[in-house]
Short mmCIF file of all heavy atoms in Angstrom, two decimals:
data_model
loop_
_atom_site.label_atom_id
_atom_site.label_comp_id
_atom_site.label_asym_id
_atom_site.label_seq_id
_atom_site.Cartn_x
_atom_site.Cartn_y
_atom_site.Cartn_z
N LEU A 23 55.30 108.24 30.37
CA LEU A 23 54.56 107.55 29.41
C LEU A 23 53.19 108.35 29.15
O LEU A 23 52.70 108.46 27.99
CB LEU A 23 54.28 106.19 29.81
CG LEU A 23 55.50 105.18 29.61
CD1 LEU A 23 55.31 103.96 30.40
CD2 LEU A 23 55.81 104.94 28.16
N GLU A 24 52.53 108.84 30.20
CA GLU A 24 51.32 109.44 30.12
C GLU A 24 51.39 110.77 29.33
O GLU A 24 50.65 111.09 28.51
CB GLU A 24 50.73 109.85 31.53
CG GLU A 24 50.14 108.73 32.25
CD GLU A 24 48.70 108.35 31.77
OE1 GLU A 24 48.10 109.13 31.04
OE2 GLU A 24 48.18 107.21 32.22
N ARG A 25 52.54 111.50 29.57
CA ARG A 25 52.78 112.67 28.83
C ARG A 25 53.05 112.44 27.37
O ARG A 25 52.84 113.30 26.55
CB ARG A 25 53.97 113.48 29.43
CG ARG A 25 53.56 114.15 30.78
CD ARG A 25 54.63 115.09 31.22
NE ARG A 25 55.95 114.48 31.47
CZ ARG A 25 56.31 114.00 32.75
NH1 ARG A 25 55.42 114.06 33.74
NH2 ARG A 25 57.43 113.37 32.92
N ALA A 26 53.51 111.24 27.08
CA ALA A 26 53.73 110.86 25.60
C ALA A 26 52.53 110.23 24.96
O ALA A 26 52.59 109.84 23.86
CB ALA A 26 54.84 109.74 25.60
N GLY A 27 51.36 110.25 25.75
CA GLY A 27 50.10 109.77 25.11
C GLY A 27 49.78 108.29 25.34
O GLY A 27 48.95 107.81 24.71
N VAL A 28 50.58 107.69 26.26
CA VAL A 28 50.26 106.22 26.48
C VAL A 28 49.42 106.09 27.71
O VAL A 28 49.55 106.83 28.76
CB VAL A 28 51.73 105.55 26.75
CG1 VAL A 28 51.43 104.02 26.93
CG2 VAL A 28 52.60 105.76 25.64
N SER A 29 48.54 105.13 27.52
CA SER A 29 47.58 104.90 28.71
C SER A 29 48.34 103.95 29.70
O SER A 29 48.68 102.82 29.30
CB SER A 29 46.35 104.18 28.20
OG SER A 29 45.46 103.83 29.34
N VAL A 30 48.46 104.34 30.96
CA VAL A 30 49.30 103.65 31.88
C VAL A 30 48.45 103.31 33.15
O VAL A 30 47.61 104.05 33.55
CB VAL A 30 50.49 104.40 32.31
CG1 VAL A 30 51.37 103.56 33.32
CG2 VAL A 30 51.30 104.83 31.14
N ARG A 31 48.58 102.02 33.57
CA ARG A 31 48.08 101.60 34.90
C ARG A 31 49.20 101.26 35.76
O ARG A 31 49.99 100.49 35.37
CB ARG A 31 46.98 100.45 34.70
CG ARG A 31 46.45 99.91 36.03
CD ARG A 31 45.45 98.95 35.86
NE ARG A 31 44.31 99.61 35.35
CZ ARG A 31 43.14 99.04 34.82
NH1 ARG A 31 43.14 97.67 34.92
NH2 ARG A 31 42.12 99.62 34.37
N VAL A 32 49.27 101.73 37.05
CA VAL A 32 50.26 101.36 37.96
C VAL A 32 49.65 100.46 39.04
O VAL A 32 48.61 100.68 39.65
CB VAL A 32 50.87 102.67 38.56
CG1 VAL A 32 51.93 102.29 39.60
CG2 VAL A 32 51.44 103.57 37.53
N LEU A 33 50.34 99.35 39.31
CA LEU A 33 49.92 98.31 40.31
C LEU A 33 50.93 98.43 41.49
O LEU A 33 52.10 98.22 41.28
CB LEU A 33 49.92 97.00 39.65
CG LEU A 33 49.02 96.80 38.42
CD1 LEU A 33 49.05 95.40 37.92
CD2 LEU A 33 47.57 97.27 38.60
N GLU A 34 50.38 98.70 42.57
CA GLU A 34 51.18 98.76 43.86
C GLU A 34 50.69 97.93 44.98
O GLU A 34 49.51 97.96 45.26
CB GLU A 34 51.18 100.23 44.31
CG GLU A 34 51.82 100.50 45.68
CD GLU A 34 53.23 100.01 45.86
OE1 GLU A 34 54.10 100.37 44.94
OE2 GLU A 34 53.53 99.25 46.85
N ALA A 35 51.54 97.04 45.44
CA ALA A 35 51.25 96.07 46.48
C ALA A 35 50.88 96.78 47.74
O ALA A 35 49.94 96.32 48.56
CB ALA A 35 52.29 95.04 46.73
N ARG A 36 51.54 97.89 48.11
CA ARG A 36 51.28 98.57 49.49
C ARG A 36 50.00 99.35 49.23
O ARG A 36 49.48 99.60 48.14
CB ARG A 36 52.45 99.46 49.71
CG ARG A 36 53.74 98.70 50.10
CD ARG A 36 54.75 99.87 50.43
NE ARG A 36 56.03 99.30 50.97
CZ ARG A 36 57.14 99.16 50.24
NH1 ARG A 36 57.10 99.58 48.93
NH2 ARG A 36 58.20 98.70 50.69
N GLY A 37 49.68 99.87 50.49
CA GLY A 37 48.44 100.73 50.57
C GLY A 37 48.80 102.26 50.35
O GLY A 37 48.06 103.05 50.74
N ARG A 38 50.02 102.57 49.94
CA ARG A 38 50.41 103.97 49.74
C ARG A 38 51.40 104.04 48.50
O ARG A 38 51.90 103.04 48.00
CB ARG A 38 51.12 104.43 51.03
CG ARG A 38 52.41 103.56 51.29
CD ARG A 38 53.23 104.18 52.45
NE ARG A 38 54.41 103.27 52.75
CZ ARG A 38 55.58 103.38 52.08
NH1 ARG A 38 55.70 104.23 51.00
NH2 ARG A 38 56.50 102.58 52.34
N LEU A 39 51.64 105.29 48.07
CA LEU A 39 52.56 105.51 47.05
C LEU A 39 53.94 105.85 47.69
O LEU A 39 54.03 105.99 48.91
CB LEU A 39 52.17 106.93 46.35
CG LEU A 39 50.75 106.97 45.68
CD1 LEU A 39 50.56 108.23 45.12
CD2 LEU A 39 50.63 105.86 44.71
N GLY A 40 54.99 105.72 46.71
CA GLY A 40 56.30 106.17 47.20
C GLY A 40 57.34 105.19 47.40
O GLY A 40 58.55 105.44 47.25
N GLY A 41 57.01 103.83 47.73
CA GLY A 41 57.99 102.85 47.90
C GLY A 41 59.00 103.25 49.03
O GLY A 41 58.54 103.49 50.13
N ARG A 42 60.29 103.43 48.79
CA ARG A 42 61.17 103.79 49.84
C ARG A 42 61.13 105.19 50.32
O ARG A 42 61.72 105.63 51.27
CB ARG A 42 62.66 103.49 49.37
CG ARG A 42 62.94 102.00 49.10
CD ARG A 42 64.33 101.79 48.62
NE ARG A 42 64.33 102.36 47.27
CZ ARG A 42 65.51 102.35 46.53
NH1 ARG A 42 66.73 102.03 47.09
NH2 ARG A 42 65.54 102.68 45.28
N VAL A 43 60.29 106.03 49.61
CA VAL A 43 60.05 107.40 49.94
C VAL A 43 58.72 107.32 50.76
O VAL A 43 57.57 107.09 50.27
CB VAL A 43 59.87 108.39 48.87
CG1 VAL A 43 59.42 109.78 49.37
CG2 VAL A 43 61.12 108.43 48.03
N TRP A 44 58.79 107.45 52.17
CA TRP A 44 57.62 107.31 53.08
C TRP A 44 57.62 108.41 54.09
O TRP A 44 58.39 108.32 55.06
CB TRP A 44 57.72 105.94 53.70
CG TRP A 44 56.49 105.68 54.59
CD1 TRP A 44 55.40 106.34 54.56
CD2 TRP A 44 56.50 104.56 55.45
NE1 TRP A 44 54.56 105.70 55.65
CE2 TRP A 44 55.24 104.66 56.14
CE3 TRP A 44 57.33 103.52 55.90
CZ2 TRP A 44 54.78 103.77 57.08
CZ3 TRP A 44 56.89 102.59 56.82
CH2 TRP A 44 55.58 102.78 57.42
N THR A 45 56.79 109.29 53.90
CA THR A 45 56.55 110.42 55.00
C THR A 45 55.36 110.05 55.83
O THR A 45 54.32 110.05 55.30
CB THR A 45 56.42 111.83 54.26
OG1 THR A 45 57.63 112.19 53.49
CG2 THR A 45 56.24 112.82 55.38
N SER A 46 55.61 109.69 57.08
CA SER A 46 54.59 109.35 57.97
C SER A 46 54.16 110.58 58.66
O SER A 46 54.95 111.43 59.06
CB SER A 46 55.13 108.32 58.94
OG SER A 46 54.14 108.09 59.96
N ARG A 47 52.82 110.78 58.92
CA ARG A 47 52.25 111.85 59.74
C ARG A 47 51.53 111.22 60.96
O ARG A 47 50.63 111.85 61.54
CB ARG A 47 51.34 112.69 58.98
CG ARG A 47 52.06 113.41 57.81
CD ARG A 47 51.17 114.30 57.10
NE ARG A 47 51.94 114.94 55.98
CZ ARG A 47 52.56 116.04 56.07
NH1 ARG A 47 52.62 116.62 57.23
NH2 ARG A 47 53.21 116.58 55.03
N ALA A 48 51.91 110.02 61.39
CA ALA A 48 51.34 109.29 62.50
C ALA A 48 51.63 109.96 63.82
O ALA A 48 50.85 109.78 64.80
CB ALA A 48 51.80 107.80 62.53
N LEU A 49 52.69 110.75 63.91
CA LEU A 49 53.11 111.41 65.17
C LEU A 49 52.60 112.78 65.23
O LEU A 49 53.22 113.75 65.06
CB LEU A 49 54.70 111.56 65.17
CG LEU A 49 55.21 111.92 66.51
CD1 LEU A 49 54.84 110.88 67.67
CD2 LEU A 49 56.75 112.06 66.39
N GLY A 50 51.23 112.77 65.49
CA GLY A 50 50.52 114.09 65.71
C GLY A 50 50.51 114.96 64.55
O GLY A 50 50.43 116.23 64.56
N GLY A 51 50.49 114.36 63.33
CA GLY A 51 50.51 115.10 62.03
C GLY A 51 51.88 115.66 61.64
O GLY A 51 51.96 116.25 60.57
N ILE A 52 52.96 115.44 62.46
CA ILE A 52 54.27 115.93 62.17
C ILE A 52 54.80 115.07 60.93
O ILE A 52 54.92 113.84 61.07
CB ILE A 52 55.17 115.90 63.25
CG1 ILE A 52 54.58 116.80 64.48
CG2 ILE A 52 56.55 116.32 62.95
CD1 ILE A 52 55.26 116.59 65.80
N PRO A 53 55.39 115.73 59.95
CA PRO A 53 55.92 114.93 58.86
C PRO A 53 57.30 114.37 59.21
O PRO A 53 58.15 114.94 59.70
CB PRO A 53 56.13 115.87 57.67
CG PRO A 53 56.17 117.20 58.36
CD PRO A 53 55.28 117.09 59.58
N LEU A 54 57.31 113.02 59.23
CA LEU A 54 58.56 112.25 59.59
C LEU A 54 58.95 111.31 58.45
O LEU A 54 58.10 110.41 58.07
CB LEU A 54 58.29 111.44 60.89
CG LEU A 54 59.47 110.49 61.37
CD1 LEU A 54 60.65 111.42 61.70
CD2 LEU A 54 58.98 109.70 62.65
N ASP A 55 60.10 111.60 57.89
CA ASP A 55 60.54 110.63 56.72
C ASP A 55 61.09 109.38 57.35
O ASP A 55 62.10 109.37 58.07
CB ASP A 55 61.54 111.27 55.91
CG ASP A 55 60.97 112.29 54.87
OD1 ASP A 55 59.81 111.94 54.43
OD2 ASP A 55 61.52 113.38 54.73
N LEU A 56 60.42 108.27 57.09
CA LEU A 56 60.89 106.90 57.50
C LEU A 56 61.68 106.17 56.41
O LEU A 56 62.18 105.06 56.65
CB LEU A 56 59.73 106.03 57.86
CG LEU A 56 58.82 106.62 59.04
CD1 LEU A 56 57.64 105.68 59.34
CD2 LEU A 56 59.68 106.78 60.23
N GLY A 57 61.76 106.80 55.28
CA GLY A 57 62.66 106.19 54.13
C GLY A 57 63.47 107.24 53.70
O GLY A 57 64.29 107.90 54.43
N ALA A 58 63.55 107.51 52.42
CA ALA A 58 64.51 108.55 51.73
C ALA A 58 64.12 109.94 52.43
O ALA A 58 62.91 110.31 52.74
CB ALA A 58 64.23 108.65 50.24
N SER A 59 65.12 110.77 52.68
CA SER A 59 64.94 112.03 53.38
C SER A 59 65.80 113.18 52.91
O SER A 59 65.70 114.18 53.30
CB SER A 59 65.00 111.87 54.86
OG SER A 59 66.27 111.29 55.24
N TRP A 60 66.77 112.81 52.07
CA TRP A 60 67.82 113.68 51.61
C TRP A 60 67.79 114.07 50.18
O TRP A 60 67.56 113.28 49.42
CB TRP A 60 69.27 113.15 51.93
CG TRP A 60 69.55 112.81 53.34
CD1 TRP A 60 69.14 111.77 54.03
CD2 TRP A 60 70.35 113.58 54.23
NE1 TRP A 60 69.61 111.79 55.35
CE2 TRP A 60 70.35 112.96 55.43
CE3 TRP A 60 71.10 114.79 54.12
CZ2 TRP A 60 71.04 113.38 56.55
CZ3 TRP A 60 71.69 115.32 55.21
CH2 TRP A 60 71.64 114.53 56.43
N ILE A 61 68.24 115.22 49.78
CA ILE A 61 68.77 115.66 48.50
C ILE A 61 70.33 115.71 48.77
O ILE A 61 70.76 116.51 49.46
CB ILE A 61 68.32 116.96 48.02
CG1 ILE A 61 66.80 116.95 47.80
CG2 ILE A 61 68.95 117.26 46.62
CD1 ILE A 61 66.19 118.30 47.30
N HIS A 62 70.90 114.73 48.22
CA HIS A 62 72.38 114.64 48.34
C HIS A 62 73.10 115.52 47.29
O HIS A 62 73.40 114.99 46.18
CB HIS A 62 72.96 113.27 48.27
CG HIS A 62 72.75 112.47 49.57
ND1 HIS A 62 73.37 112.82 50.72
CD2 HIS A 62 71.98 111.46 49.91
CE1 HIS A 62 72.96 111.96 51.76
NE2 HIS A 62 72.14 111.17 51.28
N GLY A 63 73.29 116.77 47.51
CA GLY A 63 73.91 117.69 46.48
C GLY A 63 72.69 118.30 45.70
O GLY A 63 71.97 117.72 45.07
N ASP A 64 72.67 119.69 45.90
CA ASP A 64 71.53 120.34 45.18
C ASP A 64 71.99 120.83 43.77
O ASP A 64 71.30 121.58 43.09
CB ASP A 64 71.01 121.49 45.95
CG ASP A 64 72.07 122.54 46.36
OD1 ASP A 64 73.28 122.46 45.88
OD2 ASP A 64 71.83 123.37 47.23
#
């Protein structure tokens, strides 16, 4: 929508982006996917 020239506001209940995509770095900065993690078929 933004690329089409529409003004958009996104409202998110969590304190982060991504929803089911969640890369945590709480383990010493190591990226750990706690949600989606695969490309199933490239």
Side-chain angles (χ1 to χ4, degrees):
L23 287 166
E24 284 283 350
R25 288 192 293 270
V28 180
S29 176
V30 182
R31 174 172 297 172
V32 180
L33 306 180
E34 169 57 50
R36 292 185 175 98
R38 61 173 178 82
L39 303 178
R42 289 177 293 172
V43 179
W44 181 13
T45 301
S46 171
R47 297 182 180 273
L49 190 64
I52 299 170
L54 176 63
D55 280 322
L56 301 180
S59 56
W60 298 78
I61 297 176
H62 281 297
D64 56 10

